[in-house]
Amino acid sequence: GAGVSQSPRYKVAKRGQDVALRCDPISGHVSLFWYQQALGQGPEFLTYFQNEAQLDKSGLPSDRFFAERPEGSVSTLKIQRTQQEDSAVYLCASSFGSGTGVGSNQPQHFGDGTRLSIL
Amino acid sequence: GQQLNQSPQSMFIQEGEDVSMNCTSSSIFNTWLWYKQDPGEGPVLLIALYKAGELTSNGRLTAQFGITRKDSFLNISASIPSDVGIYFCAVNAGNNRKLIWGLGTSLAVNP
């Protein structure tokens, strides 16, 4: 499809395991964002990429969280040594524009998220 | 973290009724956005507001960017069952355009 694609849709892991969540943004989109959405809450910003550069990772809750986008397209969010509080929906969004330059008002398009449950 | 105050938290209305929800902040923001999220899906942008005082419509939806740049409201006219979902306000924060979100308004429509 033409939208943002995330996989897997659901992931169940035991506490302490590592997980990897994948995001395929819309082709040609420069900006990519990861958000964490706890049950009953709004999304919370985790990290931002402009092409392959991770320009903001201020929202990552701990050093167990790591994100990459090596070729400026697909991105992976990795969580090491998962804890129960990591259980949430992880949303990926992409947009054509970047920062405050041309296209900076382009909207963010969201995937349907990965629902992560840590047992 | 910084949050937007969104109200009401939930609404239960009859089909055909109009709906109004709002969002406030203690800080000034230059872009206000309204998203709708259905269960199991990602948020979908409804309306984007870029200018203080701006009133923008999208079908039965109307949103306004407050003149103080600290608030916004969303109105839905003549509600229908498919309007059911959670409505979020969000603002652009910082040069990287990360979004800060409200806690959402859950809308239920009785046919």
Side-chain angles (χ1 to χ4, degrees), chain B residues 17-21 46 60-62 74-80 83 87 107:
Chain B
E17 290 183 355
D18 297 343
V19 172
S20 184
M21 58 191 79
L46 299 174
R60 292 179 298 105
L61 277 60
T62 301
L74 175 70
N75 286 345
I76 305 173
S77 63
S79 58
I80 59 178
D83 291 334
Y87 292 79
L107 178 64

Side-chain angles (χ1 to χ4, degrees), chain B residues 1 8 10 33 36 44 46 51 53 68 70 74 90 92 96 101 108:
Chain B
S10 62
L33 307 165
K36 178 175 184 266
V44 174
L46 299 174
K51 185 177 179 182
T68 65
K70 293 183 178 181
L74 175 70
N92 275 349
N96 64 14
W101 299 72

Side-chain angles (χ1 to χ4, degrees), chain A residues 9-10 31 33 35 37 40-45 48 55-56 58-59 89 91 95-100 103-113 115, chain B residues 1-3 9 30-31 33 35 37-45 48-50 86 88-89 91-104:
Chain A
R9 286 297 314 274
Y10 303 92
S31 296
F33 302 80
Y35 293 86
Q37 186 175 23
Q41 304 289 313
E44 295 271 352
F45 170 79
Y48 162 67
L55 298 187
D56 187 348
S58 62
V89 175
L91 295 166
S95 70
F96 178 74
S98 63
T100 55
S104 61
N105 278 337
Q106 292 298 309
Q108 294 181 26
H109 299 269
F110 284 80
D112 288 336
R115 182 175 298 277
Chain B
Q2 188 174 27
Q3 278 193 335
Q9 185 176 1
N30 292 319
T31 301
L33 307 165
Y35 282 83
Q37 187 174 28
D38 291 331
E41 299 184 9
V44 174
L45 181 66
L49 301 160
Y50 301 110
I86 302 178
F88 289 98
C89 59
V91 293
N92 275 349
N95 289 337
N96 64 14
R97 297 169 46 242
K98 67 182 181 184
L99 298 179
I100 295 175
W101 299 72
L103 295 180

Side-chain angles (χ1 to χ4, degrees), chain A:
Chain A
V4 177
S5 178
Q6 292 188 245
S7 61
R9 286 297 314 274
Y10 303 92
K11 176 69 178 177
V12 179
K14 292 183 179 179
R15 187 168 60 90
Q17 289 183 331
D18 298 347
V19 298
L21 312 179
R22 177 187 170 104
C23 173
D24 280 273
I26 294 173
S27 178
H29 276 195
V30 170
S31 296
L32 186 146
F33 302 80
W34 284 97
Y35 293 86
Q36 180 190 59
Q37 186 175 23
L39 188 64
Q41 304 289 313
E44 295 271 352
F45 170 79
L46 293 177
T47 188
Y48 162 67
F49 289 86
Q50 182 176 318
N51 295 307
E52 70 278 3
Q54 189 176 18
L55 298 187
D56 187 348
K57 52 182 181 179
S58 62
L60 296 177
S62 77
D63 59 6
R64 296 185 296 103
F65 286 70
F66 172 77
E68 60 183 4
R69 193 186 184 197
E71 297 179 357
S73 56
V74 171
S75 177
T76 303
L77 176 67
K78 298 179 180 178
I79 309 174
Q80 298 176 324
R81 305 181 302 282
T82 53
Q83 304 293 319
Q84 284 190 323
E85 62 263 27
D86 300 335
S87 297
V89 175
Y90 290 85
L91 295 166
C92 176
S94 70
S95 70
F96 178 74
S98 63
T100 55
V102 173
S104 61
N105 278 337
Q106 292 298 309
Q108 294 181 26
H109 299 269
F110 284 80
D112 288 336
T114 293
R115 182 175 298 277
L116 176 64
S117 297
I118 305 300
L119 305 178

